[in-house]
Amino acid sequence: MYNIDVCYKFIFGSMFEEMVLDDIAQKVYEYTRAGVFFVSCSGEILAYSCGKEERKACSLKKGCLTFEDYKRIFDDTVSGKNQNLIFPVYHLKRALGYVVLTHINTEQQTFFRELGRILVQISQEFFEEKGKNPFFSNGVSLGLWVDSMPRSSWIT
């Protein structure tokens, strides 16, 4: 069984690192063995950490979520004892991106839902900063990509 206090400890410790989201993703993966992805609305993967099998994904090589991997993440949310959890990140009712936790043991779902909500709060500032970049916040692409996700897979 995982302890959320352990996660708080390393998340706050990561706030002093140069690559905050990368460090958080790595430590969450090391502790839980669940894949962690921070993805902007434009599909850019801001940070991630995952197992060897997931590292073969086309998206990780390109640095942004591709349609080949979109279906794997969003349509196959439940398979056997494992599940993917998706947490949208909002600011003022505008979708900025999302946090994805993959290969979640369904028996530990309560812990991972709480962890996902914490990661959303921590990452919101980073997504807001990314949204200030005019290349990513042109008013058309920002939000449309996340809003096209199946709402049944969202955790709010």
Side-chain angles (χ1 to χ4, degrees):
M1 180 122 199
Y2 303 112
N3 186 337
I4 201 69
D5 292 332
V6 171
C7 294
Y8 271 115
K9 183 178 178 179
F10 63 69
I11 287 171
F12 287 123
S14 296
M15 300 304 281
F16 299 104
E17 299 296 325
E18 188 173 320
M19 304 293 290
V20 175
L21 293 181
D22 288 313
D23 197 60
I24 290 171
Q26 182 63 37
K27 288 179 180 175
V28 168
Y29 177 75
E30 288 171 0
Y31 181 61
T32 65
R33 290 296 180 219
V36 180
F37 298 85
F38 296 94
V39 184
S40 72
C41 284
S42 64
E44 179 184 3
I45 300 171
L46 303 179
Y48 75 93
S49 188
C50 58
K52 286 182 182 180
E53 190 170 308
E54 289 179 293
R55 283 195 194 121
K56 295 177 185 175
C58 181
S59 295
L60 300 182
K61 295 174 188 168
K62 294 181 179 180
C64 62
L65 192 63
T66 62
F67 284 111
E68 292 90 4
D69 296 322
Y70 177 88
K71 182 176 180 177
R72 184 182 56 82
I73 290 174
F74 295 109
D75 291 345
D76 301 328
T77 55
V78 178
S79 61
K81 291 185 175 183
N82 292 321
Q83 180 176 10
N84 295 343
L85 299 178
I86 300 134
F87 301 87
V89 179
Y90 289 102
H91 176 69
L92 302 175
K93 297 184 180 182
R94 189 179 95 202
L96 299 174
Y98 50 95
V99 175
V100 179
L101 299 176
T102 61
H103 296 287
I104 304 303
N105 185 321
T106 55
E107 295 171 5
Q108 300 289 325
Q109 194 173 39
T110 303
F111 165 81
F112 285 107
R113 285 181 185 269
E114 186 175 352
L115 175 61
R117 288 185 182 104
I118 292 166
L119 294 176
V120 164
Q121 291 172 354
I122 296 296
S123 65
Q124 186 176 21
E125 179 181 331
F126 296 95
F127 282 108
E128 287 174 14
E129 195 61 36
K130 182 55 94 177
K132 290 179 185 176
N133 183 336
F135 179 74
F136 293 106
S137 60
N138 61 15
V140 177
S141 64
L142 191 62
L144 292 178
W145 202 81
V146 168
D147 289 338
S148 69
M149 295 180 346
R151 294 196 187 271
S152 61
S153 65
W154 290 25
I155 297 177
T156 55

